[in-house]
Amino acid sequence: MTSLASSAQLDPVDESARAALFTDAHTANAFADIPVSDEQLREIWSLAKWAPTQANFQPLRVLYVQSPEARERLVAQMSEGNRAKTLAAPAVAVLAFDGSFHQHIPTVVPHLAHMKDSLEQNLENRVLTARNNAWLQAGYFIVAVRAAGFAAGPMGGFDAAGVDREFFADSEWGSFLVVNIGYPAEDAYRPRLPRLDEEHVLAFA
Ligand SMILES: Cc1cc2nc3c(=O)[nH]c(=O)nc-3n(C[C@H](O)[C@H](O)[C@H](O)COP(=O)(O)O)c2cc1C
């Protein structure tokens, strides 16, 4: 094999990485009483930020809710079944899309700087693009939490309009997912639910 051919080949990640990121990784519902530092929360983002997005738009925003007062305000917006674990989690991230993401286009997509103006004129397309791509980034965010050595507890059960009123009143951020973060407690995991067999999912044309 020539050096060019071998340099084009990507190494699959090993079994322990596959287990940590996928096969053994679970949604956590309870966490050990061990804090997560700001440095560790930044490290999670330093991985998640590499997610691919449409034209490199990067509409995801992350609010780490830290003060006890802010945590109470968030918990009040969570659905009943999500309250206790959100109150107790060592760290909590609110994931939001930024409806004004287009303001950054000249920086993050300099060769398509004109798209800033076209998206400025089209709110519907802007919000749809922001939502879709922020969701994709959210998937990477969960994997980044795992890659940094923590467990993630993503939750869609909350009043998004209420969270937006509480935390994002002065911006165009729109919350869509809350993620508890920490080291898993012994009783963190529910039994694994089955995944669809590939016959229901895969097609080859
Ligand atoms: C978008 C999304 C929303 C979710 N919302 C909730 C929720 O509100 N409350 C909850 O307890 N779990 C919630 N979950 C957790 C899922 O139920 C869990 O990820 C799924 O059952 C797979 O579990 P596993 O990772 O342990 O295999 C959510 C997960 C995702 C990705």
Side-chain angles (χ1 to χ4, degrees):
M1 201 182 283
T2 66
S3 60
L4 184 64
S6 61
S7 71
Q9 207 159 355
L10 300 173
D11 288 331
V13 297
D14 65 20
E15 280 303 323
S16 80
R18 289 174 190 224
L21 301 179
F22 298 103
T23 53
D24 281 354
H26 257 280
T27 295
N29 293 287
F31 297 89
D33 190 15
I34 302 170
V36 181
S37 69
D38 288 6
E39 192 183 354
Q40 289 167 320
L41 294 175
R42 290 201 159 91
E43 185 194 350
I44 290 167
W45 181 248
S46 76
L47 298 172
K49 73 179 182 181
W50 299 110
T53 51
Q54 180 183 351
N56 201 35
F57 286 151
Q58 305 171 60
L60 181 68
R61 304 291 177 262
V62 181
L63 170 71
Y64 288 123
V65 175
Q66 293 193 303
S67 74
E69 175 269 333
R71 184 77 70 100
E72 292 282 355
R73 284 197 289 135
L74 176 63
V75 167
Q77 303 301 327
M78 302 302 294
S79 58
E80 184 62 39
N82 289 332
R83 284 194 183 148
K85 59 188 173 186
T86 304
L87 190 61
V92 182
V94 176
L95 304 195
F97 67 86
D98 184 359
S100 291
F101 75 91
H102 62 299
Q103 301 295 347
H104 296 283
I105 286 178
T107 307
V108 295
V109 207
H111 59 289
L112 295 176
H114 63 276
M115 290 191 75
K116 173 173 177 274
D117 295 331
S118 53
L119 282 163
E120 177 72 39
Q121 308 303 323
N122 191 338
L123 178 65
E124 193 182 343
N125 186 28
R126 206 165 80 223
V127 169
L128 185 67
T129 302
R131 263 190 192 282
N132 286 345
N133 285 277
W135 267 110
L136 174 58
Q137 290 181 281
Y140 271 75
F141 184 88
I142 292 167
V143 175
V145 169
R146 295 169 171 178
F150 298 100
M155 295 165 295
F158 66 95
D159 179 350
V163 168
D164 295 351
R165 266 196 313 276
E166 285 291 339
F167 294 100
F168 305 140
D170 297 331
S171 74
E172 289 189 46
W173 293 17
S175 59
F176 64 90
L177 192 68
V178 176
V179 185
N180 292 334
I181 300 169
Y183 297 110
E186 278 182 19
D187 60 345
Y189 302 137
R190 299 193 183 114
R192 183 74 97 183
L193 290 168
R195 274 12 183 204
L196 284 174
D197 289 337
E198 67 170 50
E199 70 194 84
H200 299 300
V201 179
L202 299 185
F204 298 86

